[in-house]
């Protein structure tokens, strides 16, 4: 990834959820209880997925603090793979890494077993995160069982070269103006594009639906955990809307499939919904492509897709040292480094006053001021996040399968696939 830093500071204003703390981003020494572990020769393992931005250099910074400790990093290909591994080994009582990453959509499912996670409460991290990020990681007994990494404020990434060929504006501010509006407007602009291009407008119905459903406060469950997905008219409406649009606008490429990845580079589609962490996905899979850019806009206002946590399973042999590693990795300065590397936008409030974040420019995306763009996009997100209970991941997976049967596999029509979704939801009880 080719990156640089802007020299002009960007002021941050707006929502109270993004109020800044007075402290800066100086490095801190983690506090993990007893000091005995610091004198032991220890190998710690950390398991993540996709691209958390944890470079060898960043991990080496922890070893510089604690020379006796070696850190080994394993990376699952997808969040789904990480989830399967986590729950299998959690149930077995052994085999998990010392520090394990958890994705926000299946984190509520894990919180049912918070007694199997280490309590990470510490004065050292008090006030580090956005309030809602901390609240979601605090169990019924008041134990903080996970440290927040990133959040996923969304913009729109687009192929400027494909826009130009289709007669659409290419300047990111003009593109933001072009796309400002609701989802219907986003699809209308897409119809204009595909009428003048051989490329599709977006990658898949499933990926686009993800951005739409994350704007619903209670999509699949009431706050008491009752599953409402089958009867929620908002969910059915966006399911119908995105599938109707996909018939003419979609590249019909299942997200994370090899064909989808290839499409990032080949120009199979002109736009994709783009949380900050997607920047690293794009640049790493289309390193030689010059056309990608990012616009400070998102259909229907703002949205958050994704975001993760680090947990320390209680089954580990070195929970104190692992707690220190989780502390280090989620400190503001490390999370800013991860953003520079992979676009993972920090959830740490102190990061928002740092020009290392707000002034960051990504050369790959045509020198886009991505630090300022995603800080702005974060302020457009509803500070009360959508409710995601223990069944959220399972319902979302069933809905994604329903969309894929129509859009990607083309084995079902929309009505038939919805009926199968209802059966899947009913089976959840």
């Amino acid at each position: 990834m080719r990156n640089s830093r802007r020299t002009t500071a960007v002021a941050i204003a707006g929502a109270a959820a993004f109020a800044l703390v007075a402290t800066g981003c100086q490095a801190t020494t983690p506090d993990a209880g007893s000091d005995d572990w610091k004198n032991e020769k220890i190998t710690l393992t950390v398991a993540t997925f996709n691209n958390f931005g944890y470079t060898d250099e960043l991990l080496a910074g922890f070893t510089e603090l604690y020379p006796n400790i070696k850190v080994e990093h394993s990376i699952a290909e997808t969040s789904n793979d990480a989830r399967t591994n986590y729950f299998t080994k959690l149930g077995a009582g052994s085999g998990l890494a010392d520090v394990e990453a958890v994705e926000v959509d299946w984190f509520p499912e894990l919180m049912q077993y918070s007694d199997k996670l280490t309590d990470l409460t510490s004065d050292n991290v008090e006030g580090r995160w956005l309030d809602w990020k901390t609240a979601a990681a605090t169990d019924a007994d008041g134990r903080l069982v996970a440290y927040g990494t990133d959040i996923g404020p969304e913009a729109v990434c687009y192929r400027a070269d494909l826009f130009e060929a289709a007669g659409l504006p290419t300047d990111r501010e003009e593109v933001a103006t072009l796309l400002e509006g609701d989802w219907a407007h986003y699809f209308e602009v897409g119809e204009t594009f595909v009428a003048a291009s051989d490329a599709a407008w977006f990658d898949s119905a499933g990926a686009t639906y993800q951005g739409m459903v994350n704007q619903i406060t209670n999509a699949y469950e009431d706050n008491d955990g009752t599953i409402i997905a089958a009867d929620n008219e908002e969910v059915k409406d966006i399911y119908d809307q995105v599938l109707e649009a996909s018939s003419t606008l979609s590249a019909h490429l299942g997200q994370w499939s090899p064909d989808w990845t290839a499409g990032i580079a080949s120009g199979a589609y002109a736009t994709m919904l783009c949380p900050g962490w997607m920047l690293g996905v794009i640049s790493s899979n289309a390193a030689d492509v010059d056309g990608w850019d990012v616009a400070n806009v998102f259909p229907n206002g703002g949205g958050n897709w994704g975001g993760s946590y680090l947990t320390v399973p209680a089954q580990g042999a070195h929970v104190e040292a692992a707690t220190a590693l989780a502390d280090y990795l989620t400190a503001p300065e490390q999370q800013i480094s991860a953003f520079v590397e992979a676009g993972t936008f920090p959830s740490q409030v102190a990061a928002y006053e740092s020009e290392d974040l707000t002034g960051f420019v990504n050369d790959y995306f045509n020198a886009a001021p991505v630090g300022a763009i995603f800080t702005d996009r974060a302020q457009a997100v509803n500070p009360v996040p959508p409710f995601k209970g223990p069944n959220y991941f399972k319902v979302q997976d069933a809905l994604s399968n329903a969309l894929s049967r129509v859009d990607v596999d083309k084995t079902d029509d929309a009505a038939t696939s919805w009926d199968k979704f209802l059966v899947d939801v009913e089976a959840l009880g």
Side-chain angles (χ1 to χ4, degrees), residues 53-389:
Y54 294 166
T55 62
D56 291 343
E57 181 181 5
L58 186 147
L59 295 173
F62 184 75
T63 303
E64 290 175 7
L65 291 172
Y66 306 109
N68 287 330
I69 298 179
K70 178 182 178 182
V71 179
E72 295 181 350
H73 184 198
S74 63
I75 306 174
E77 187 171 347
T78 68
S79 170
N80 285 21
D81 292 338
R83 174 183 173 272
T84 298
N85 176 75
Y86 202 120
F87 283 105
T88 299
K89 293 178 179 176
L90 190 71
S94 65
L96 287 171
D98 294 297
V99 177
E100 285 272 353
V102 181
E103 204 270 332
V104 66
D105 282 357
W106 51 274
F107 185 48
E109 187 179 0
L110 177 62
M111 286 294 284
Q112 298 176 100
Y113 312 104
S114 65
D115 60 322
K116 297 182 182 297
L117 304 176
T118 301
D119 184 0
L120 304 178
T121 304
S122 167
D123 291 342
N124 193 56
V125 299
E126 185 70 28
R128 176 176 286 182
W129 296 279
L130 299 168
D131 288 345
W132 59 265
K133 190 76 172 177
T134 301
T138 304
D139 70 8
D141 295 325
R143 302 165 67 248
L144 180 65
V145 297
Y147 285 170
T149 57
D150 61 316
I151 56 177
E154 295 204 72
V156 175
C157 288
Y158 67 98
R159 284 286 296 262
D161 53 337
L162 297 180
F163 271 46
E164 182 177 19
L168 297 182
T170 60
D171 176 81
R172 68 179 64 93
E173 292 185 4
E174 294 179 357
V175 172
T177 299
L178 174 71
L179 297 179
E180 186 70 36
D182 59 13
W183 289 101
H185 177 69
Y186 172 70
F187 297 141
E188 288 171 3
V189 176
E191 294 291 353
T192 300
F193 172 82
V194 297
S197 176
D198 293 332
W201 179 237
F202 57 74
D203 47 350
S204 69
T208 306
Y209 170 89
Q210 184 79 54
M212 301 170 78
V213 76
N214 280 335
Q215 293 177 331
I216 299 177
T217 302
N218 290 87
Y220 303 143
E221 301 159 285
D222 276 333
N223 288 355
D224 62 2
T226 302
I227 299 175
I228 60 172
D231 301 315
N232 191 337
E233 292 184 2
E234 285 185 286
V235 171
K236 183 59 162 59
D237 286 347
I238 63 174
Y239 171 87
D240 290 336
Q241 186 180 13
V242 74
L243 283 180
E244 181 180 357
S246 73
S247 63
T248 55
L249 302 182
S250 175
H252 312 295
L253 300 175
Q255 195 169 45
W256 313 118
S257 69
D259 288 341
W260 176 85
T261 301
I264 296 174
S266 68
Y269 40 90
T271 69
M272 60 193 304
L273 305 187
C274 204
W277 49 263
M278 190 66 80
L279 301 181
V281 175
I282 293 172
S283 61
S284 63
N285 285 292
D288 297 326
V289 175
D290 295 328
W292 281 105
D293 208 323
V294 56
N296 187 357
V297 67
F298 193 70
N300 209 36
N304 185 83
W305 178 9
S308 299
Y309 291 88
L310 297 182
T311 63
V312 176
Q315 64 180 237
H318 309 292
V319 295
E320 290 179 333
T323 298
L325 177 58
D327 182 324
Y328 169 82
L329 290 173
T330 61
E333 58 271 22
Q334 273 67 255
Q335 284 305 125
I336 291 173
S337 294
F339 174 75
V340 169
E341 174 67 23
T344 50
F345 192 82
S347 61
Q348 293 74 8
V349 291
Y352 305 141
E353 65 182 0
S354 171
E355 191 183 343
D356 287 340
L357 175 72
T358 62
F360 180 68
V361 166
N362 191 314
D363 286 346
Y364 177 87
F365 288 88
N366 192 29
V370 295
I373 287 173
F374 284 98
T375 298
D376 194 33
R377 288 292 87 215
Q379 294 182 51
V381 176
N382 188 335
V384 179
F387 178 78
K388 297 183 179 182

